[in-house]
Amino acid sequence: MAADIKPTPEAIRAQLERILQNAEFKASDKQRKFLSFVVDESLEGRASQLKGYTIAVAVYGRSESFDPQIDPIVRVEAGRLRRALAHYYLTAGKNDPVRIKILKGSYKPTFHGHPVSPSGAQTNAIEQEDCASAIEPSIAIMPLMNLTGDGDQDYFADGLTEELTAELSRYQEFRVIASQSTMRFKGRNVGPKEIGGDLCVRFLLSGSVQKDSKSVKITVQLIDASNGAQIWGQSYKRNLTAADLIELQEEIAQMVVGVIADQFGLISRRLSKESRKKSPADLKAYDAVLRFYHYETELTASAFEKVLAALTKAIKIDPEYGLAWAMLGHLHADNYALGFCEIEAPLDRALTFAQKGVALEPYNQFVRDALTLVYFHQGNKHHFLQHAEETIALNPNSPYVVGVAGWHMALFGEWDRGLALLKKGMKLNPYYPSWFHLAPYMDYYFRGEYEMAYAEALKFNFPGLYLDPVMRAAALGRLGRQNEAKAAVGQLLELEPDFTTRGRWLIRRYVKVDDLVDTIIEGLRQAGLADIE
């Protein structure tokens, strides 16, 4: 079937059935009904009637009073259906004879013949198109090799492979190709670039297992398939008993995935660095996400302005991109607390953007985290704690989100629960942001352990933010180290010249415990800021 020949209705119906019956088509029952409905209507000559209203009533059981401006169900589900189709055609359906697509901005499906060579290889044009449209970042889990010399131990390597896949699949920004699709490369001498091109992925996760009667050694590597370079590798050696095996698989998978897939993980850092080299005209929607991750490592006015522009462009490119909307909400909440630029009612805007993101992607953990952040800055402890726990539940092993939820809890005075979550996030990913140290600083300071608090202040390491000299000055004032304390106060007043009148307000942007705010103010007075209100 040539690519420029329109497939017959029979071929289209056969393709629809092929998709619906395949496990790699990861769509809900309603999304499957959505697909069947729009395909059937198009084949019956009623494609012009495929509007949001029609689909809402026929597929989702909405009443005749349905208003798509109020209820975004069809727009949201269409985005998820497009992603499910893209995943299917990149995996099980890569050599199917017919392509069914639903282009953005329309609910009318398109049908194209897909040429297949006699050897089963895809044609370059369509493969490149699909790779270009794939959601980044993408990673394939290669079957871990059993190097024990005992074939009976394959179960352990296979079990760890599945555990890695399960953990990675929790990160909704990732397109994950499971080992079922990579098994055909096992035992073959195929290079990373060829595998990456065949699977249409940027990264490969591979490894091996060695085991004896008393211990196991697991080695894992992250490969950049674009050039074949290993960008990370780690070995884990553990003593074990048979009862430890499942727990061990879970522990190693959580640690590996936390390091590579977290918002501050190796993949985001690598892609973010590449994105910053692109000109504004070349930016795609996902580049804005990468720039947001970079912004969170800098927290400067310049980085804020750049990511604000990138995210504003991203939601114009893709109005259904819930993560971009949520990040806009996160930015405006940050601006409320840190004052990077003049924006009217930043916290109100933050709430609107975050709610929009949650409406589009309610099960995306980082999206939900943005709404949690807004409730924190509103000082709404009840809503904050409720949404924080709901956000954590979406992926209890996500280092950044779990850590930042604990960070905020601690700053709200929930010290035990908050610091335990924060420590878990820091353990799962040692590349955590240095501003995580604000919460343990406050804990030590509140308990009067000023030397420990000062040590945490030095780890905070954001000299361009007022919190940095505030932490150092308050601790040094309590310690009686006057010369160093006065130097820190001088740096604080350079950043915030009117801190004596606004200081309490600024501290309360992040510290929600009144008694703790009072003790910080007293520490600053002892540091030489005697006229602070």
Side-chain angles (χ1 to χ4, degrees):
M1 184 185 296
D4 57 351
I5 297 177
K6 185 177 180 179
T8 65
E10 292 76 15
I12 294 170
R13 292 188 189 282
Q15 180 62 35
L16 174 62
E17 188 65 22
R18 188 179 295 113
I19 293 171
L20 296 176
Q21 295 297 321
N22 197 287
E24 286 296 328
F25 181 54
K26 301 183 182 299
S28 67
D29 290 341
K30 286 291 187 182
Q31 290 158 13
R32 291 167 183 271
K33 186 176 179 181
F34 188 147
L35 179 61
S36 297
F37 178 75
V38 297
V39 170
D40 289 341
E41 290 294 288
S42 294
L43 293 178
E44 293 297 328
R46 294 188 290 269
S48 61
Q49 299 178 26
L50 290 174
K51 309 294 183 182
Y53 176 87
T54 309
I55 297 168
V57 173
V59 177
Y60 292 96
R62 295 301 195 262
S63 68
E64 294 182 358
S65 62
F66 172 78
D67 184 348
Q69 298 302 316
I70 298 175
D71 186 346
I73 181 66
V74 178
R75 186 172 67 252
V76 172
E77 290 289 271
R80 293 171 180 162
L81 178 55
R82 292 185 189 102
R83 291 192 284 273
L85 283 169
H87 174 80
Y88 170 78
Y89 278 118
L90 287 168
T91 54
K94 64 188 302 181
N95 287 318
D96 285 2
V98 175
R99 297 271 162 151
I100 299 176
K101 294 185 178 182
I102 301 175
L103 301 180
K104 288 185 178 180
S106 171
Y107 302 125
K108 177 183 176 181
T110 62
F111 312 110
H112 304 282
H114 178 205
V116 181
S117 72
S119 64
Q122 291 178 280
T123 57
N124 290 334
I126 292 180
E127 182 175 323
Q128 289 172 0
E129 174 190 348
D130 288 341
C131 285
S133 64
I135 301 171
E136 290 186 304
S138 52
I139 185 167
I141 315 298
M142 307 302 293
L144 268 65
M145 294 184 292
N146 171 17
L147 301 182
T148 65
D150 180 1
D152 290 340
Q153 297 299 317
D154 283 350
Y155 79 95
F156 182 80
D158 293 343
L160 181 55
T161 303
E162 290 305 310
E163 196 65 39
L164 287 165
T165 302
E167 283 296 322
L168 268 169
S169 297
R170 291 176 179 266
Y171 292 79
Q172 294 193 0
E173 296 78 36
F174 276 73
R175 181 169 57 83
V176 180
I177 305 298
S179 58
Q180 292 90 335
S181 298
T182 61
M183 189 63 69
R184 66 181 184 275
F185 298 106
K186 190 173 183 178
R188 294 173 54 192
N189 186 23
V190 183
K193 294 178 70 174
E194 184 178 345
I195 295 173
D198 185 275
L199 297 173
C200 202
V201 295
R202 173 66 188 273
F203 299 97
L204 306 176
L205 187 65
S206 63
S208 62
V209 174
Q210 295 174 285
K211 185 168 171 281
D212 57 33
S213 60
K214 295 182 180 180
S215 64
V216 61
K217 180 180 179 182
I218 299 163
T219 303
V220 185
Q221 302 92 26
L222 180 66
I223 308 295
D224 187 336
S226 68
N227 55 20
Q230 177 177 320
I231 59 178
W232 175 78
Q234 183 69 47
S235 294
Y236 305 88
K237 189 170 183 179
R238 300 286 190 275
N239 295 324
L240 57 82
T241 65
D244 296 330
L245 293 180
I246 294 178
E247 183 178 340
L248 176 61
Q249 289 174 347
E250 293 175 349
E251 176 198 354
I252 299 300
Q254 290 168 15
M255 294 177 68
V256 170
V257 173
V259 168
I260 68 174
D262 188 45
Q263 280 87 342
F264 283 81
L266 294 167
I267 290 178
S268 293
R269 288 170 178 264
R270 189 175 187 87
L271 294 177
S272 179
K273 184 177 181 180
E274 294 173 359
S275 175
R276 297 198 299 275
K277 298 177 182 178
K278 295 182 180 180
S279 67
D282 295 331
L283 290 179
K284 297 179 181 179
Y286 188 73
D287 287 300
V289 171
L290 295 172
R291 294 196 173 198
F292 177 87
Y293 294 151
H294 173 67
Y295 150 79
E296 286 222 312
T297 67
E298 289 197 347
L299 294 177
T300 63
S302 175
F304 177 89
E305 291 174 3
K306 289 176 182 177
V307 72
L308 180 63
L311 286 168
T312 302
K313 180 180 178 181
I315 60 173
K316 291 179 180 178
I317 295 173
D318 186 356
E320 299 173 3
Y321 201 175
L323 183 59
W325 283 104
M327 287 181 169
L328 271 176
H330 194 127
L331 275 185
H332 283 76
D334 278 359
N335 196 56
Y336 164 78
L338 300 174
F340 289 126
C341 67
E342 289 292 330
I343 295 178
E344 185 178 353
L347 206 52
D348 292 340
R349 292 181 180 226
L351 180 61
T352 299
F353 293 143
Q355 289 175 332
K356 174 85 170 180
V358 171
L360 290 168
E361 298 186 38
Y363 301 110
N364 184 305
Q365 190 180 41
F366 192 87
V367 170
R368 294 293 294 269
D369 175 66
L371 188 56
T372 304
L373 173 65
V374 175
Y375 290 133
F376 174 83
H377 283 303
Q378 286 181 337
N380 189 331
K381 187 173 182 178
H382 174 74
H383 275 72
F384 163 75
L385 290 174
Q386 175 186 342
H387 282 265
E389 295 293 357
E390 291 174 355
T391 300
I392 292 168
L394 291 172
N395 182 1
N397 300 318
S398 171
Y400 173 78
V401 174
V402 170
V404 82
W407 188 81
H408 284 117
M409 284 183 189
L411 295 174
F412 240 134
E414 299 291 324
W415 298 107
D416 292 343
R417 171 72 167 151
L419 292 173
L421 288 170
L422 178 62
K423 289 175 182 177
K424 178 180 179 179
M426 295 167 80
K427 179 181 178 182
L428 286 171
N429 183 11
Y431 301 105
Y432 60 84
S434 63
W435 48 260
F436 268 18
H437 289 281
L438 175 65
Y441 167 90
M442 292 298 172
D443 177 50
Y444 285 125
Y445 186 93
F446 201 27
R447 291 192 280 117
E449 298 182 32
Y450 302 120
E451 288 284 3
M452 296 297 293
Y454 183 63
E456 294 293 327
L458 296 179
K459 296 174 185 177
F460 183 81
N461 195 30
F462 274 91
L465 294 184
Y466 68 86
L467 288 168
D468 191 305
V470 163
M471 294 163 67
R472 288 184 284 112
L476 289 166
R478 292 287 192 176
L479 290 168
R481 294 162 61 173
Q482 294 303 314
N483 290 336
E484 296 167 274
K486 288 180 180 179
V489 167
Q491 294 164 5
L492 171 60
L493 293 177
E494 286 183 13
L495 293 173
E496 298 287 345
D498 55 353
F499 191 84
T500 54
T501 57
R502 296 179 68 239
R504 186 179 294 272
W505 182 89
L506 287 170
I507 294 169
R508 280 191 56 80
R509 295 310 87 198
Y510 285 101
V511 182
K512 305 299 185 183
V513 181
D514 290 339
D515 290 346
L516 176 53
V517 175
D518 290 340
T519 63
I520 294 170
I521 296 296
E522 183 58 32
L524 292 173
R525 290 193 179 109
Q526 294 179 17
L529 203 62
D531 53 350
I532 186 171
E533 298 177 359

